[in-house]
Amino acid sequence: MNRSRFALLATCVIVAFAGYRLGRGGNDATPTAADAVLFATKSTTLSSSGEGTDLLFPEEMAAAKADLRQRFADHVSPGQDWILRHRTASMLARMSAADLGRFAAELLPSPTGADPLAEWQADLLKEVYRAWAKKDPASACTGHANIPFTFMSRSAAFYDWLRRDPQTARVWLAEADSPQDPARTACRKWLLNNDAVTDFERAAETVGQLDVQTRESTILGWSWQLASDRDSRQQLAGLIAAQENPDFAMKCYQSLVAGAGMNSLSDSEELLENAALREADRRELFGRLYQNEVGRLANLDDAEERRARLSELYRTWQEKQPEEIAAWLAAMSAEARTHLESAGFGGDAGLAR
Amino acid sequence: MDDRCLLDHYLAARDESAFRELVGRHLDLVHAVARRVTGNDELARDAAQTTFVKLARDAAKVPRGLSLAAWLHRTCRCAAVDLVRTEDRRRKREQLAHQHAPMNPTPEPEWERLAPVIDEAVDALPAADRELVLAKYYRNESFAGIAARLGWTEANARKRASRSLEKLRSRLSRRGLTTTAAALAAALPAHAVPSAPASLADSVMAAAAKTPLAPTLGFHLAMTTAQKSTAVAVLALLAAGWAGHAVGSARKDRTDATSHPIARASSDPRDGTTTSLRETEDPLHAFRELVAGRREAPWQVVSRIPAARIPALLAELRESFDQFPTGSADGSWRMEIESALLYRWAESDPRAAFEDARSQPESRDVLFRLRNQELVRGVLAAWMQVDPEAAYHAAKGHKVAGHLAADMLVRTWTVETLEDHLSRFGDERKSLVGVFCSAIQSDDRKREAMLTRIEQEPELPGRDWAKFRLFRAWGLRDFDAAIARASAMGFRDTVAQLLEDNLNIMPARAMPWAVEHDIAPDAKSWGNRFDGWLRSDATGARTWLAGQLDSWEAQGHREAVAELVARDLAHLRSQLAPDAALLDETSRQLKERIARWRAVDPDAPDRWIAGTPEVVREMLANPR
């Protein structure tokens, strides 16, 4: 290439660049520091996993944090906006683990503060913990655990870690010198809850090695968590019976029946029929079950269905527990009783006076 | 046929009639912009011609997310600026300026001031605002037409156009041009796009028709070698400048689009600025990798899935829920992906996505119920970004979705424009005022603005309801601040309401406040409330109660003393592993206090015992 052609080529490059600058920014107000960070051309290498990203410069950090706060605070529902979440993850991927820990602390009230977080703060905090867990999962899962309101964010971070790298997460929890701090105990509980729905036998074996109090509180939690699944319920019933503690069994079945939920009344009845309960407790729980069902059916929108199902429920309960139903109705105000009767409870004959 | 169809037609078949139609539609606008920037008829013709030549050549480069009017506006302005900046043109312009009368012989003073800068200000608006200003105030499109084209309600188009005009006014005022949005709304349609000269269309078409051809052969042959070299160099430099400018403008359009919530759908991984996902990768393959956990960042994958495929993918994903139950790490991950899919669907067809989310089967599984709610919330979040009122109207008939939508809708409002928003809601006004006040209570600035209005405007519509809802929501979040403020404002009924609410919900805060303000404990109602405190913080509740008992007893509130100690005892007994020493101490204390009570009023303790639940009576008969 001769010299004049080279000079022409070089001039073309310069002119093209000048044209680019004119087109790109000629009419714009100066972008803010945050814009520069959020829309940085460097971000062509960004990925939400945080791999291969450039960390923010210190002078960019404050602007980026302020911008994220603003975007979340101004949003009608930031935790559900996937575009915002994606961009936030990309931005947070450019912060170090230590920076993310500091950012989380800045979003939180003081350890003694009792003011709840605003919804947007909780949403942003969860994103920060998730980004933190990608860089330093152990720190994220236990970070700022002494401050209320980190529970949900820490559990999200732990579940992400458990999904991405279950082996390391389990090893970390099983470490011999693992301290028995409340944060790690919470992680152990989340792991057990995960195992209870994916591998009940493994979870039951682990829970059997815990001290009585922790074991019982964990099983009590499962009574709520597993109540809607038939197979899990049966396995859990076996575990409850194995504890050989009738008071504890009563508490568990209270949760199973009233707390989380069977998919049908007959499921609940079957569960109670076969439960390892004292007879008085069984009768009491049947009573509560029917009372709850009355409340649920009385709120049905379809008047015809409401009447039919309340009438059927009345017959079932009357047949099974005539004394209990009489006592329950007797304790009711006249107004409530009339209301119930008009909704169909008692059938065509109505309730006996 | 819309502009995009015509452009596609032109691109596909070099259809001259399609191009002519486009010129006919936009020539007035292009010429008007060129005329204002150059201040000269001749230069304006050149700029207009250059603009359409560029369109003929670069039709394929017009971004799909941008209207042709917006592209032409910016391209023409740049072309006109370039012309004016050319030195010899500038001199010519100066000479001509003295010879020619202004285009509008009697411009209105307002417009005379605005004309030289208006296009630059419009050009600097974010993309979505620029589109609206051009459509409504330059091209005089009806709100109904804009709404139909962009998939909004007419009211929403009207509101957004008003906001865009306000942004334009603000930009002008930063340049020292004080005007009002109303003045702009009147001046722009009247002056922004006068008719172009009748002959211009033909010359534009003639120039454009030549565009795809190589440089004129005759001209080429007639030149000397030296002239050719110079011409080639000049052309190369011009082409380089143009290309650079075009790339820069395109980037700017994309950046503008990303900065505006309306256009944010295109500011995500799909615009290629924040993703490492290869454009050519099969999005369905990427999706299956994502579900299997071999990929992170759901939106990076989901955002590239064609909307039409989403219902089938949702069904496929949901089938796996049995295998990966709620409460497991893998189950949570699948629900995240489901939420991203619904959001993606809501971007293109919010009604269908809403219907899908709303009609998910009910479940008594608490986690599943939460998931159902989150799906509805996600769809509404996407819809609210584009048309909050349409989203609200679609959801309002449904119990949970209606509450969520109302809450989201009012978060798009401000205190200052409250009446304006409410005026469109007829019978729902009162309820929406309440939702608005509940929503803003956590925002210090908005809450203070609303309190000022409540205090200073007795005629404010729904004032009492607004006050009630604002203080109730604020009190549940920050009881001390809310009740202090209600007291300071002299709202006695509000103070009583706040106390009542919080005795039920946050007894740990309300009970101490009541005692500090000499409010006597009511045995019956405080018993249940104290139960709530014991359940949430037994140690705190017990410690506080211990500090009250003697003074209450001295003041004669003996029934309350017995009631609350009995509740404490019942709570202790309900524990899985009760503290035996504490149980003994509390039983002893209850017996002693009842004995002292009996000494001053022999019948009262028995009346109290008779009214207590059976479990308490049994406990009093046998405290251990």
Side-chain angles (χ1 to χ4, degrees):
Chain A
M1 186 185 288
N2 66 32
R3 190 177 293 177
S4 63
R5 281 187 185 171
F6 181 77
L8 177 61
L9 186 64
T11 313
C12 282
V13 169
I14 293 166
V15 170
F17 181 70
Y20 172 83
R21 294 301 302 259
L22 189 68
R24 176 103 174 91
N27 305 316
D28 261 352
T30 309
T32 63
D35 281 342
V37 172
L38 274 172
F39 303 112
T41 50
K42 276 195 285 189
S43 65
T44 47
T45 59
L46 282 182
S47 73
S48 293
S49 65
E51 289 162 8
T53 58
D54 300 315
L55 290 182
L56 291 172
F57 293 113
E59 63 272 22
E60 293 174 320
M61 186 73 71
K65 288 180 190 173
D67 187 70
L68 287 175
R69 282 170 185 268
Q70 194 65 47
R71 283 172 194 269
F72 272 67
D74 288 348
H75 200 289
V76 297
S77 192
Q80 281 71 37
D81 181 338
W82 274 94
I83 301 173
L84 178 62
R85 285 184 61 185
H86 180 81
R87 298 170 90 199
T88 302
S90 299
M91 174 54 50
L92 295 174
R94 299 183 61 192
M95 297 182 189
S96 68
D99 288 334
L100 289 163
R102 273 191 291 273
F103 191 17
E106 289 161 19
L107 288 167
L108 286 163
S110 70
T112 52
D115 284 345
L117 293 176
E119 213 169 307
W120 70 264
Q121 286 171 311
D123 287 340
L124 180 52
L125 191 68
K126 199 188 268 190
E127 296 299 323
V128 172
Y129 267 83
R130 289 184 135 159
W132 191 5
K134 283 178 181 163
K135 305 208 169 195
D136 183 354
S139 297
C141 293
T142 55
H144 313 302
N146 60 327
I147 304 177
F149 321 117
T150 60
F151 183 86
M152 293 298 288
S153 301
R154 282 187 291 119
S155 78
F158 180 76
Y159 271 69
D160 276 358
W161 186 19
L162 187 62
R163 180 183 56 77
R164 272 198 307 271
D165 189 0
Q167 205 171 347
T168 312
R170 286 177 188 279
V171 167
W172 173 71
L173 279 177
E175 279 168 359
D177 58 346
S178 155
Q180 293 295 319
D181 63 286
R184 225 180 255 233
T185 302
C187 291
R188 287 196 184 92
K189 206 156 187 174
W190 294 326
L191 179 65
L192 273 173
N193 290 345
N194 173 79
D195 289 351
V197 292
T198 55
D199 185 352
F200 188 84
E201 282 176 17
R202 178 186 198 161
E205 190 185 328
T206 312
V207 90
Q209 296 159 7
L210 300 172
D211 63 85
V212 176
Q213 198 170 350
T214 314
R215 182 169 69 232
E216 291 192 344
S217 76
T218 305
I219 296 173
L220 198 54
W222 291 352
S223 304
W224 173 81
Q225 188 188 354
L226 304 178
S228 60
D229 182 75
R230 191 187 178 89
D231 293 341
S232 304
R233 251 188 348 245
Q234 283 176 349
Q235 288 176 307
L236 183 62
L239 190 61
I240 293 169
Q243 306 308 307
E244 296 181 342
N245 178 345
D247 287 338
F248 172 66
M250 176 64 175
K251 284 184 177 31
C252 290
Y253 277 96
Q254 279 173 1
S255 290
L256 274 167
V257 173
M262 311 305 142
N263 293 319
S264 72
L265 182 65
S266 60
D267 274 0
S268 308
E269 288 173 323
E270 185 190 333
L271 179 75
L272 282 181
E273 289 290 0
N274 299 314
L277 284 166
R278 287 177 298 228
E279 208 44 47
D281 290 343
R282 191 190 322 277
R283 289 192 73 80
E284 187 184 335
L285 287 180
F286 261 115
R288 285 193 204 178
L289 173 68
Y290 292 132
Q291 285 174 32
N292 289 343
E293 192 66 5
V294 170
R296 197 177 73 81
L297 295 180
N299 282 322
L300 287 179
D301 289 333
D302 184 331
E304 210 167 307
E305 185 190 359
R306 185 173 61 224
R307 173 165 284 279
R309 293 184 64 179
L310 276 173
S311 173
E312 187 189 335
L313 178 64
Y314 176 76
R315 273 197 307 277
T316 308
W317 192 3
Q318 176 72 28
E319 196 179 304
K320 199 170 188 70
Q321 295 192 314
E323 289 170 18
E324 279 87 347
I325 194 171
W328 182 63
L329 288 168
M332 197 177 281
S333 71
E335 191 186 358
R337 191 183 160 98
T338 308
H339 177 73
L340 201 55
E341 195 170 12
S342 65
F345 196 67
D348 294 337
L351 297 170
R353 300 285 150 188
Chain B
M1 199 182 282
D2 67 16
D3 288 350
R4 173 48 64 182
C5 290
L6 285 169
L7 208 53
D8 287 344
H9 217 59
Y10 169 69
L11 276 167
R14 281 286 186 249
D15 182 345
E16 192 186 317
S17 63
F19 196 84
R20 184 176 288 280
E21 172 67 23
L22 288 171
V23 171
R25 284 184 190 183
H26 296 286
L27 183 61
D28 288 349
L29 183 146
V30 168
H31 180 260
V33 172
R35 179 65 182 76
R36 277 195 294 276
V37 174
T38 61
N40 173 277
D41 287 341
E42 263 184 46
L43 291 179
R45 289 178 75 98
D46 284 356
Q49 192 162 310
T50 305
T51 303
F52 283 104
V53 165
K54 184 168 163 50
L55 176 65
R57 190 182 60 215
D58 297 340
K61 294 179 188 167
V62 177
R64 289 208 167 255
L66 193 69
S67 75
L68 184 59
W71 186 87
L72 287 169
H73 181 270
R74 172 164 289 173
T75 305
C76 176
R77 212 185 70 74
C78 292
V81 167
D82 289 347
L83 281 175
V84 171
R85 280 181 183 159
T86 307
E87 186 60 23
D88 60 338
R89 295 279 195 180
R90 188 185 65 76
R91 280 201 301 272
K92 190 176 175 184
R93 173 180 172 241
E94 283 172 356
Q95 289 165 3
L96 292 170
H98 290 98
Q99 296 165 14
H100 292 275
M103 188 184 260
N104 181 350
T106 53
E108 291 175 16
E110 181 74 9
W111 184 247
E112 200 172 33
R113 287 188 307 123
L114 291 173
V117 293
I118 190 74
D119 293 295
E120 190 177 339
V122 168
D123 197 24
L125 285 171
D129 293 306
R130 185 152 42 97
E131 294 269 15
L132 268 176
V133 168
L134 289 173
K136 179 61 198 163
Y137 302 107
Y138 274 58
R139 302 180 62 196
N140 263 329
E141 281 187 44
S142 68
F143 283 120
I146 295 171
R149 182 159 57 82
L150 299 176
W152 301 340
T153 59
E154 191 175 332
N156 190 35
R158 201 178 289 276
K159 190 170 62 184
R160 286 180 181 280
S162 156
R163 283 188 201 148
S164 301
L165 206 59
E166 181 54 34
K167 284 185 194 168
L168 179 62
R169 188 205 60 74
S170 163
R171 279 176 188 271
L172 289 167
S173 80
R174 286 207 293 269
R175 294 170 145 267
L177 280 164
T178 312
T179 183
T180 63
L184 283 173
L188 284 171
H191 302 289
V193 187
S195 298
S199 61
L200 184 56
D202 290 337
S203 56
V204 163
M205 282 306 296
K210 291 177 193 165
T211 302
L213 301 175
T216 313
L217 188 61
F219 175 68
H220 184 250
L221 290 174
M223 281 193 287
T224 64
T225 307
Q227 283 170 327
K228 280 181 197 166
S229 300
T230 308
V232 167
V234 168
L235 281 172
L237 287 170
L238 280 174
W242 251 138
H245 186 269
V247 172
S249 293
R251 283 197 72 88
K252 185 174 188 300
D253 279 337
R254 281 207 298 271
T255 306
D256 282 352
T258 61
S259 67
H260 198 283
I262 300 173
R264 283 181 51 238
S266 62
S267 73
D268 55 34
R270 289 161 291 192
D271 70 3
T273 58
T274 59
T275 182
S276 58
L277 188 69
R278 295 190 303 278
E279 293 275 355
T280 52
E281 184 171 8
D282 175 13
L284 299 183
H285 171 73
F287 177 75
R288 300 214 160 87
E289 293 269 300
L290 178 76
V291 173
R294 289 191 287 274
R295 263 180 198 279
E296 294 293 308
W299 189 245
Q300 200 171 56
V301 174
V302 169
S303 62
R304 291 183 185 276
I305 294 174
R309 302 301 301 269
I310 289 177
L313 292 179
L314 273 172
E316 185 182 314
L317 184 69
R318 285 168 180 161
E319 274 177 23
S320 73
F321 281 178
D322 281 346
Q323 204 183 335
F324 300 97
T326 55
S328 69
D330 288 319
S332 306
W333 175 242
R334 278 165 170 74
M335 285 188 182
E336 281 275 287
I337 297 169
E338 183 192 30
S339 149
L341 278 173
L342 251 295
Y343 191 92
R344 169 80 186 89
W345 194 6
E347 282 186 333
S348 63
D349 189 348
R351 283 183 198 281
F354 176 72
E355 204 44 46
D356 177 273
R358 192 196 63 73
S359 58
Q360 285 304 300
E362 276 191 34
S363 169
R364 294 199 194 177
D365 177 342
V366 176
L367 289 176
F368 224 79
R369 282 210 300 273
L370 281 175
R371 163 261 190 185
N372 287 356
Q373 192 169 317
E374 289 299 293
L375 289 182
V376 171
R377 195 194 284 267
V379 169
L380 290 174
W383 202 350
M384 287 276 166
Q385 310 237 358
V386 183
D387 193 342
E389 288 181 18
Y392 167 74
H393 285 300
K396 70 181 179 185
H398 307 287
K399 205 183 258 180
V400 177
H403 289 306
L404 291 173
D407 182 65
M408 289 187 190
L409 172 73
V410 299
R411 286 174 197 270
T412 65
W413 299 354
T414 66
V415 175
E416 293 76 19
T417 56
L418 184 59
E419 280 96 331
D420 183 33
H421 292 296
L422 288 172
S423 64
R424 293 193 292 278
F425 287 93
D427 293 344
E428 295 153 56
R429 267 186 290 189
K430 182 180 172 185
S431 120
L432 286 172
V433 163
V435 180
F436 176 76
C437 286
S438 296
I440 61 162
Q441 53 79 22
S442 59
D443 181 319
D444 293 348
R445 192 193 62 77
K446 287 183 178 175
R447 185 185 63 241
E448 288 310 310
M450 194 67 206
L451 284 172
T452 304
R453 293 198 65 184
I454 287 171
E455 190 169 36
Q456 294 176 358
E457 297 177 41
E459 302 305 315
L460 181 71
R463 177 179 177 271
D464 288 345
W465 181 241
K467 183 176 79 170
F468 172 78
R469 290 293 300 267
L470 190 150
F471 274 104
R472 166 167 273 186
W474 185 16
L476 295 179
R477 190 179 63 84
D478 188 349
F479 171 73
D480 294 331
I483 204 160
R485 187 61 183 275
S487 302
M489 291 174 86
F491 297 154
R492 286 188 187 175
D493 54 340
T494 306
V495 171
Q497 166 223 319
L498 280 169
L499 183 60
E500 193 62 21
D501 281 349
N502 283 275
L503 280 170
N504 285 327
I505 296 165
M506 286 196 291
R509 293 199 166 189
M511 284 188 176
W513 188 91
V515 169
E516 279 166 29
H517 290 78
D518 298 327
I519 294 171
D522 173 69
K524 290 293 171 219
S525 64
W526 282 40
N528 287 336
R529 292 154 170 177
F530 191 65
D531 270 347
W533 190 355
L534 284 166
R535 281 195 294 273
S536 63
D537 175 16
T539 308
R542 204 167 283 134
T543 307
W544 176 79
L545 181 64
Q548 312 307 316
L549 292 175
D550 289 342
S551 63
W552 279 356
E553 212 172 88
Q555 291 162 21
H557 305 308
R558 292 175 186 277
E559 187 178 347
V561 167
E563 181 76 35
L564 269 59
V565 176
R567 299 286 181 152
D568 188 13
L569 192 58
H571 180 77
L572 278 168
R573 284 166 57 110
S574 72
Q575 298 303 295
L576 283 174
D579 179 333
L582 193 55
L583 201 59
D584 282 346
E585 167 57 23
T586 312
S587 296
R588 184 191 59 75
Q589 187 157 158
L590 180 60
K591 277 193 277 186
E592 283 178 12
R593 290 190 186 273
I594 289 177
R596 286 204 290 274
W597 186 13
R598 205 181 294 281
V600 294
D601 189 349
D603 298 332
D606 291 333
R607 281 199 304 273
W608 170 72
I609 290 168
T612 59
E614 190 179 335
V615 62
V616 177
R617 290 202 299 275
E618 187 272 327
M619 194 176 65
L620 287 168
N622 179 22
R624 271 310 299 273

